[in-house]
Structure formats: structure tokens, C-alpha cells
Amino acid sequence: MEVNTLFSLQNKVILVTGSSGGLGSAIVSAMQAHGAKVIASDLNNHNKPQSGVDFIPCDLSRNEDIDQLVERAKALHGRIDVLVSNAGIQGPAGPIGGATDDDWDAVMSINLKSALRLCSALLPDMAERGQGSVILMSSIAGVRGNKAIGLYGLSKAGLAQLARNLAVEWGPKGIRVNCISPGLIRTPLATELLENAPFMERRLSLTPLRRVGEPEEIAGVAVMLASKAGGFISGQNIVVDGGTTISDGS
């Protein structure tokens, strides 16, 4: 294997959900830059991706929308080689006991159940070709306790376990399934936190690199997992947080 092709995605067809957000748009750009044919999907087309990227709107809370997304995506290029399940919602803030049944249904449906439904629809075709890669976007909220976004954390922890389960189930068919768990990343959704000086002082003091992450740093990990460079990685939850979760605060 030539080193200069390790990260090549030439001729790969990649489906990215949650494509309009900060992380999603960075992943779409990075995949395209490495040669992939990218199909982007989000709730609407208000922030359609750049030229050369196909876009399919989808409401991931609706099973029929997910099924239609898969059908339309496969029709574009005949197959999907890589799935990046990036879409998600935070849900309510506050004690987890205060979450309503509707909160549970919304967060688990969009963050966890939709990922499984997409995988269930796409993995059999990947298995027939003997190869494929699935990248589920989790969070460090899924690897530590949370007093404010506990429901979100539960859903993200579920994604990490889903990756392990699917990696074991589909690995013999040549399919790799992994999670990425970002820490605090400079995206529009993080603006409120980034502008909160007391929070940032505390957070950065607990982060060995003493800075927030950039969307491209998450996208780079996704490219690795989609390419030959990640060919022997499966069932893993890769934490990309500048060291926040391993710090003793010193």
C-alpha cells in the first residue's frame, strides 16, 4: 500500500447526515477534498453544501423519510460505501428526571434510533461488496456524567455501544463501525459556551491543550476512518477533546 493513498477516498460514495452544521459541513468538505463523491443530508436545504455535492433533505425522526433517503442516495451512484451519521439534537437541559416522554422520544429517535435504521438499511449492501465503513458521531457527554444534558449523554453513550455491537456483527463481512466523540468544538452551536468567560476559563483549565477544537480536526478523524488509513480500526470510540476527559485539572 502506497503511503500517499492511505487517506484517499477516490471513487468512494459517502453519505453524511447533519451536513449543514459546523461539524457536518467540515466533514462534507474534507471528504470531497480527499476525492469522495459526497451525498449530504439535513432537515432542510437552507444551508446546502458546496458545488459538486448532492443534497437530499431528510427528517430523521420519521422512518419513512429515512427509508426514502437511503433509496434516493443509492440511486444517485448505485451504492453507499461510507455512512457518516452526524445528525443529532441536544434535547432539554436540566436534571434528567425532568425530561418528558416526548423529550425521550425525540432525543433517542433522532440521535440513536435513526442511526440504527440507516445502518440496517445500508449494511447489507456493503456486506455484499465485502467492505464498508460507518462513522457514528458521539460526544464526550457519552463517556462521563452530566448534570445538565443527561438525556443527550445517554443517547451518545448508546451510539458508542451501537458501534461496538455492529462492529462485531458485521466485521466478518468486511465492515468497520466506529464512533467519534468530540469535546468542545468551535461551531455555531457552541457559540453560547464560547462566549461564557467563566465557563471557558474553567473548561480550558481542565483541557491539557488549553484550547477548543476546530471542526476540521473532527473531519480529519472521519477521513481517516473512511479511508485505508483506518482499515484496521473497528468498534472504537475515538475521543477528540484535547485531553479534557483524561485531565486531572493541573
Side-chain angles (χ1 to χ4, degrees):
M1 182 187 302
E2 294 184 15
V3 173
N4 62 1
T5 66
L6 270 176
F7 294 90
S8 173
L9 297 173
Q10 199 70 37
N11 298 320
K12 293 288 187 182
V13 181
I14 300 179
L15 173 61
V16 181
T17 68
S19 62
S20 299
L23 291 184
S25 59
I27 291 170
V28 167
S29 295
M31 296 296 188
Q32 188 181 36
H34 283 78
K37 299 174 183 176
V38 181
I39 303 167
S41 180
D42 214 309
L43 186 60
N44 55 56
N45 63 357
H46 291 168
N47 295 300
K48 288 182 67 173
Q50 63 270 30
S51 172
V53 174
D54 294 298
F55 182 84
I56 302 173
C58 179
D59 180 351
L60 291 174
S61 69
R62 296 166 50 87
N63 287 342
E64 55 269 36
D65 272 30
I66 296 174
D67 297 341
Q68 186 179 59
L69 169 62
V70 170
E71 182 179 348
R72 291 181 61 187
K74 289 196 295 186
L76 283 170
H77 300 290
R79 69 186 194 281
I80 300 296
D81 299 304
V82 179
L83 167 65
V84 182
S85 183
N86 174 66
I89 61 172
Q90 177 182 291
I96 193 170
T100 67
D101 287 347
D102 287 343
D103 293 332
W104 276 84
D105 290 345
V107 172
M108 293 301 175
S109 175
I110 294 173
N111 292 5
L112 184 56
K113 194 171 86 170
S114 71
L116 175 58
R117 192 172 184 89
L118 282 168
C119 289
S120 297
L122 293 171
L123 291 182
D125 286 349
M126 292 182 185
E128 285 189 8
R129 296 190 299 276
Q131 62 180 350
S133 176
V134 174
I135 303 162
L136 307 177
M137 194 60 65
S138 186
S139 167
I140 62 169
V143 299
R144 63 182 188 177
N146 302 274
K147 65 180 180 181
I149 51 172
L151 191 56
Y152 174 80
L154 276 176
S155 69
K156 294 300 184 176
L159 283 173
Q161 183 61 35
L162 178 61
R164 290 186 283 266
N165 289 348
L166 293 178
V168 171
E169 182 178 350
W170 293 93
K173 298 294 186 180
I175 297 172
R176 299 178 292 108
V177 186
N178 293 284
C179 264
I180 301 174
S181 285
L184 182 59
I185 308 298
R186 194 182 309 279
T187 65
L189 286 178
T191 298
E192 186 176 343
L193 293 177
L194 296 174
E195 294 177 349
N196 184 331
F199 169 84
M200 289 304 299
E201 181 179 3
R202 182 173 67 256
R203 182 59 172 268
L204 295 184
S205 72
L206 296 171
T207 301
L209 290 184
R210 298 296 192 268
R211 66 175 178 86
V212 300
E214 302 297 334
E216 293 76 15
E217 293 171 315
I218 305 301
V221 177
V223 168
M224 176 192 70
L225 291 174
S227 68
K228 292 179 181 178
F232 203 51
I233 303 173
S234 195
Q236 302 305 304
N237 183 17
I238 301 177
V239 176
V240 189
D241 68 348
T244 301
T245 53
I246 56 90
S247 175
D248 62 1
S250 60

